[in-house]
Structure formats: structure tokens, C-alpha cells
Coordinates of all heavy atoms in Angstrom, one line a residue:
E91 N 6.8 16.9 -1.6 CA 6.5 15.6 -1.9 C 6.7 14.6 -0.7 O 6.1 13.6 -0.5 CB 7.2 15.0 -3.1 CG 7.0 15.8 -4.3 CD 8.0 17.0 -4.5 OE1 8.8 17.2 -3.6 OE2 8.0 17.6 -5.6
S92 N 7.7 15.0 0.2 CA 8.0 14.2 1.3 C 6.9 14.1 2.3 O 6.8 13.1 3.1 CB 9.3 14.7 2.0 OG 9.0 16.0 2.5
R93 N 5.9 15.0 2.2 CA 4.8 14.9 3.1 C 3.5 14.4 2.5 O 2.5 14.3 3.1 CB 4.5 16.4 3.7 CG 5.7 16.9 4.5 CD 5.4 18.3 5.0 NE 4.2 18.2 6.0 CZ 3.7 19.3 6.5 NH1 4.1 20.5 6.3 NH2 2.7 19.1 7.3
W94 N 3.6 14.1 1.2 CA 2.5 13.5 0.5 C 2.2 12.1 1.0 O 3.1 11.4 1.4 CB 2.7 13.5 -1.0 CG 2.7 14.9 -1.6 CD1 2.6 16.1 -1.0 CD2 2.7 15.1 -3.0 NE1 2.6 17.1 -1.9 CE2 2.7 16.6 -3.2 CE3 2.8 14.4 -4.2 CZ2 2.7 17.2 -4.4 CZ3 2.9 15.0 -5.4 CH2 2.8 16.4 -5.5
I95 N 0.9 11.8 0.9 CA 0.5 10.4 1.3 C 0.5 9.5 0.1 O 0.4 9.9 -1.1 CB -0.9 10.4 1.9 CG1 -1.9 11.0 0.9 CG2 -0.9 11.1 3.2 CD1 -3.4 10.9 1.4
D96 N 0.8 8.2 0.4 CA 0.7 7.1 -0.6 C 1.7 7.3 -1.8 O 1.3 7.1 -3.0 CB -0.7 6.9 -1.1 CG -1.6 6.4 0.0 OD1 -1.2 5.7 0.9 OD2 -2.8 6.9 0.0
V97 N 2.9 7.7 -1.5 CA 4.0 7.7 -2.5 C 4.6 6.3 -2.4 O 5.2 5.9 -1.4 CB 5.0 8.8 -2.2 CG1 6.1 8.8 -3.2 CG2 4.3 10.2 -2.2
K98 N 4.6 5.6 -3.5 CA 5.1 4.2 -3.6 C 6.6 4.2 -3.3 O 7.3 4.8 -4.1 CB 4.7 3.6 -4.9 CG 5.2 2.1 -5.0 CD 4.3 1.3 -5.8 CE 4.6 -0.2 -5.7 NZ 3.6 -1.0 -6.2
D99 N 7.0 3.5 -2.3 CA 8.4 3.3 -1.9 C 9.1 4.6 -1.8 O 10.3 4.7 -2.0 CB 9.1 2.4 -2.9 CG 8.5 1.0 -3.0 OD1 7.9 0.5 -2.0 OD2 8.5 0.4 -4.1
G100 N 8.4 5.7 -1.6 CA 9.0 7.0 -1.4 C 9.6 7.6 -2.7 O 10.5 8.4 -2.7
I101 N 9.2 7.0 -3.9 CA 9.8 7.4 -5.2 C 9.2 8.7 -5.7 O 8.1 8.9 -6.0 CB 9.5 6.3 -6.2 CG1 10.2 5.0 -5.8 CG2 10.0 6.7 -7.6 CD1 9.9 3.8 -6.7
I102 N 10.1 9.7 -5.7 CA 9.8 11.1 -6.2 C 10.5 11.2 -7.5 O 11.7 11.0 -7.7 CB 10.3 12.2 -5.2 CG1 9.5 12.0 -3.9 CG2 10.1 13.5 -5.8 CD1 10.1 12.9 -2.8
C103 N 9.7 11.6 -8.6 CA 10.2 11.6 -9.9 C 10.5 13.0 -10.5 O 10.8 13.1 -11.6 CB 9.2 10.9 -10.8 SG 8.9 9.2 -10.4
G104 N 10.4 14.0 -9.7 CA 10.6 15.3 -10.1 C 9.8 16.3 -9.3 O 9.1 15.9 -8.3
D105 N 9.8 17.5 -9.7 CA 9.1 18.5 -8.9 C 7.6 18.3 -9.1 O 7.0 18.3 -10.1 CB 9.4 19.9 -9.5 CG 8.8 21.0 -8.6 OD1 8.7 20.8 -7.4 OD2 8.4 22.1 -9.1
C106 N 6.9 18.0 -7.9 CA 5.5 17.7 -7.9 C 5.1 16.4 -8.7 O 3.9 16.3 -9.1 CB 4.7 18.9 -8.5 SG 4.2 20.1 -7.2
K107 N 6.0 15.6 -8.9 CA 5.8 14.3 -9.6 C 6.2 13.1 -8.9 O 7.4 13.1 -8.5 CB 6.4 14.4 -11.0 CG 6.1 13.3 -11.9 CD 6.7 13.5 -13.3 CE 6.4 12.4 -14.3 NZ 7.0 12.7 -15.6
V108 N 5.3 12.2 -8.6 CA 5.7 11.0 -7.8 C 5.1 9.8 -8.4 O 4.2 9.8 -9.3 CB 5.1 11.1 -6.3 CG1 5.7 12.4 -5.7 CG2 3.6 11.2 -6.3
L109 N 5.6 8.6 -7.9 CA 5.0 7.3 -8.2 C 3.9 7.1 -7.2 O 4.2 6.8 -6.0 CB 6.0 6.2 -8.2 CG 5.5 4.8 -8.6 CD1 5.0 4.9 -10.1 CD2 6.6 3.8 -8.5
A110 N 2.7 7.3 -7.6 CA 1.5 7.3 -6.6 C 1.1 5.8 -6.4 O 1.0 5.0 -7.4 CB 0.4 8.1 -7.2
D111 N 0.9 5.5 -5.2 CA 0.4 4.1 -4.8 C -1.1 4.1 -4.6 O -1.7 5.1 -4.6 CB 1.2 3.7 -3.6 CG 1.3 2.2 -3.4 OD1 0.8 1.5 -4.3 OD2 1.8 1.7 -2.4
K112 N -1.6 2.9 -4.4 CA -3.0 2.6 -4.1 C -4.0 3.2 -5.2 O -5.1 3.6 -4.8 CB -3.3 3.2 -2.7 CG -2.5 2.6 -1.6 CD -3.0 3.1 -0.3 CE -2.1 2.4 0.8 NZ -2.4 2.9 2.1
M113 N -3.5 3.2 -6.4 CA -4.4 3.7 -7.5 C -5.6 2.7 -7.7 O -6.7 3.2 -8.0 CB -3.6 3.8 -8.8 CG -2.5 4.9 -8.8 SD -3.1 6.5 -8.2 CE -3.8 7.1 -9.7
G114 N -5.4 1.5 -7.4 CA -6.5 0.5 -7.6 C -7.6 0.6 -6.6 O -8.7 0.8 -6.9
Q115 N -7.2 0.5 -5.3 CA -8.2 0.5 -4.3 C -8.6 1.8 -3.7 O -9.6 1.9 -3.0 CB -7.7 -0.5 -3.1 CG -6.5 0.0 -2.4 CD -5.2 -0.5 -2.9 OE1 -4.9 -0.4 -4.1 NE2 -4.3 -1.0 -2.1
K116 N -7.9 2.9 -4.0 CA -8.2 4.1 -3.3 C -8.5 5.3 -4.2 O -9.4 6.0 -4.0 CB -7.0 4.5 -2.3 CG -7.3 5.6 -1.3 CD -6.2 5.6 -0.3 CE -6.4 6.7 0.7 NZ -5.3 6.8 1.7
Y117 N -7.6 5.6 -5.2 CA -7.7 6.8 -5.9 C -8.3 6.6 -7.3 O -9.2 7.4 -7.8 CB -6.3 7.5 -6.0 CG -5.7 7.8 -4.7 CD1 -4.7 7.1 -4.2 CD2 -6.3 8.8 -3.9 CE1 -4.1 7.3 -2.9 CE2 -5.7 9.1 -2.6 CZ -4.7 8.3 -2.2 OH -4.1 8.6 -1.0
G118 N -7.7 5.7 -8.1 CA -8.2 5.5 -9.5 C -7.5 6.5 -10.4 O -6.8 6.0 -11.4
T119 N -7.7 7.8 -10.2 CA -7.2 8.8 -11.1 C -6.1 9.6 -10.5 O -6.1 9.8 -9.2 CB -8.3 9.7 -11.7 OG1 -8.7 10.5 -10.6 CG2 -9.4 8.9 -12.2
C120 N -5.2 10.2 -11.3 CA -4.2 11.1 -10.7 C -4.9 12.4 -10.2 O -4.4 13.0 -9.3 CB -3.2 11.5 -11.8 SG -1.9 10.2 -11.9
R121 N -6.1 12.8 -10.8 CA -6.8 13.9 -10.3 C -7.2 13.7 -8.8 O -7.0 14.6 -7.9 CB -8.0 14.2 -11.1 CG -8.7 15.5 -10.7 CD -10.0 15.9 -11.4 NE -9.8 15.9 -12.9 CZ -9.2 16.8 -13.6 NH1 -8.7 17.9 -13.0 NH2 -9.1 16.8 -14.9
A122 N -7.7 12.5 -8.5 CA -8.1 12.2 -7.1 C -6.9 12.1 -6.2 O -6.9 12.6 -5.1 CB -8.9 10.9 -7.1

């Protein structure tokens, strides 16, 4: 997770689980 892009404030919530940022303007869905 430390290498993932757009993790909001670096918040990792568990194994493979993060607070994803830029959902509005970039991704929309967790699948994306």
C-alpha cells in the first residue's frame, strides 16, 4: 500500500485496504 497512488493522507486501513483519494475527479469507483 505504501507504493499505491492517491492514498488520502497516507491512511492505510488494513491489508490491501486504504482511504482512497480523488474519487470525485479521477476514479469514481473502487474498481477503477
Side-chain angles (χ1 to χ4, degrees):
E91 302 90 351
S92 64
R93 298 183 62 186
W94 288 6
I95 55 173
D96 297 323
V97 177
K98 181 148 189 165
D99 300 331
I101 298 175
I102 297 170
C103 300
D105 188 34
C106 269
K107 187 176 183 179
V108 301
L109 185 61
D111 202 3
K112 300 186 179 172
M113 296 305 283
Q115 64 270 49
K116 192 170 179 182
Y117 302 107
T119 68
C120 280
R121 185 181 308 283

